[in-house]
Amino acid sequence: MSGGEDAAPKAADGLPPLREVVKAHGLDARKSLGQNFLFDLNLTGRIARAAGPLAGVTVLEVGPGPGGLTRALLAAGAGRVIAIEKDERCFAALAEIGAHYPGRLDVLAADALTLDGGDLAQKGASAGKLRVAANLPYNVGTALLTQWLETDPWPPWFDRLVLMFQREVAERIVADTSDRANYGRLGVLCGWRTQARILFDVPPQAFTPQPKVLSSMVELVPRIEPLPCSGRHLSAVTQAAFGQRRKMLRQSLKALSAAGRPIEVPALLEEAELDGSRRAEEIDVPGFVQLARAFERLGG
Ligand code: SAM
C-alpha cells in the first residue's frame, strides 16, 4: 500500500474514510441499484470543483450512496445539498455527514425518476435554480437526463448538470453530425437545449466495485433560447429518422403519422426544406428543428 486513504485515520474533512463508512454500515454495493462507489476524495473533490463555484448554490445530487461526492460538494462550499437516494441502507451514513454540516444536507428517500425537479427547485433553492451534480447509477442515467432535458418550461429548474456517464453514453450526448457513429436522438436532444461537453474521463479503477468500462464526467449548460420547437414533435421526428438511420429520410419518415394517418412524406420534406435523399445522421440540430416544426404544422 502506498499510504492512500486507508492509511489515514480521518479524511481531510474530519469524517471517517469512506471505506470505513461502507464497512461500518454494511453498504456492500448492489448491482441492481447501479452501485459503483467512489472512495477517492481527490476525485470527488475534482468533480465538485467541476460543478463550481458552489458558494450559495443549492446542489441536487442523485444517488449519494455512502456520500463521497456529497462530502466533496459540502467541503467545496455548496450552500446546501439535496440528496436523493433510493437505498435506505445509506441513510445512517448520510445522517453523519448531515450532522457534520448542520443545516446544509437534506436527504430525500425517493426514486429520482419519479421526482419533479421543478418542485424541488421551488421548495429548495433560494435563488430558484438548482445545480445538479451526480455520479449517476448507469441503469437510470440516460432516462433521467432525457427527462430533465424534456422538462417544460425552458429555461429549466437547473442552471447546470455535471454528471457521470459511461464514456460511450458521454460520446452520444456530445455527438453532432461530425461524429456519425455516435450521433443520434440523444445528441439532437442535448444539442438542441444545451451546450454539452465531456470534462474528463474516470478510469474503472476509481470505482468500487470496478465497472468494465471507462466513465466520463459531462457538463450540460442549458441554452437560454434554444431554437423554438416542441419537444414532443422533435422527439417524434428523431425517433422516426434514427429508427432507420441507414435509410434515406424519404423512407424512414414514413413511420410518422398525423391524426392517425401516415404522414405525406414529400409534403413534410418540402415544408421542412430538406432533401429526402439525406439520412438522419447527416441532419444537424437546426435541420431536425425545421423538420419538427414542419411536422407540427402538418398536424403531427
Ligand atoms: N454518489 C455515490 C458515489 O459516487 O460513490 C454513489 C454512486 S452509485 C454509481 C449510484 C447511487 O444511486 C447508489 O447509491 C444507488 O443506490 C443510487 N440509486 C440508484 N437508482 C436510484 C434512483 N432511481 N433514485 C435515486 N437513487 C438511486
Side-chain angles (χ1 to χ4, degrees), residues 8-31:
K10 292 261 186 210
D13 59 7
L15 286 160
L18 282 157
R19 280 183 202 283
E20 252 177 47
V21 173
V22 164
K23 211 165 153 192
H25 294 280
L27 301 177
D28 52 300
R30 296 207 173 141
K31 208 173 175 186

Side-chain angles (χ1 to χ4, degrees), residues 63-78:
L69 179 55
T70 321
R71 284 163 60 166
L73 292 165
L74 289 163

Side-chain angles (χ1 to χ4, degrees), residues 48-105:
R49 283 195 299 282
L54 293 175
V57 171
T58 299
V59 181
L60 176 67
E61 186 192 359
V62 174
L69 179 55
T70 321
R71 284 163 60 166
L73 292 165
L74 289 163
R80 205 166 142 213
V81 175
I82 302 173
I84 304 171
E85 177 56 64
K86 203 173 159 184
D87 183 355
E88 59 187 34
R89 297 177 309 151
C90 300
F91 299 154
L94 293 168
E96 286 168 9
I97 302 172
H100 193 74
Y101 292 99
R104 291 172 58 198
L105 175 62

Side-chain angles (χ1 to χ4, degrees), residues 18 30 32-39 44 47 61-70 83-90 108-115 133-140 144 164 206-208:
L18 282 157
R30 296 207 173 141
S32 60
L33 286 165
Q35 292 181 333
N36 298 94
F37 300 136
L38 294 173
F39 292 146
T44 52
I47 298 171
E61 186 192 359
V62 174
L69 179 55
T70 321
I84 304 171
E85 177 56 64
K86 203 173 159 184
D87 183 355
E88 59 187 34
R89 297 177 309 151
C90 300
L108 300 185
D111 180 337
L113 284 165
T114 65
L115 276 187
N135 172 17
L136 287 177
Y138 288 139
N139 49 0
V140 296
L144 268 178
M164 181 91 75
F207 300 87
T208 304

Side-chain angles (χ1 to χ4, degrees), residues 14 24 27 31 120 152 155 163-164 172 174 179 198 204-205 253 267 284 296:
L27 301 177
K31 208 173 175 186
L120 280 182
D152 276 311
L163 307 171
M164 181 91 75
R172 289 200 279 123
V174 302
D179 177 7
I198 294 178
Q205 305 83 272
L253 295 179
D284 60 12
E296 184 171 10

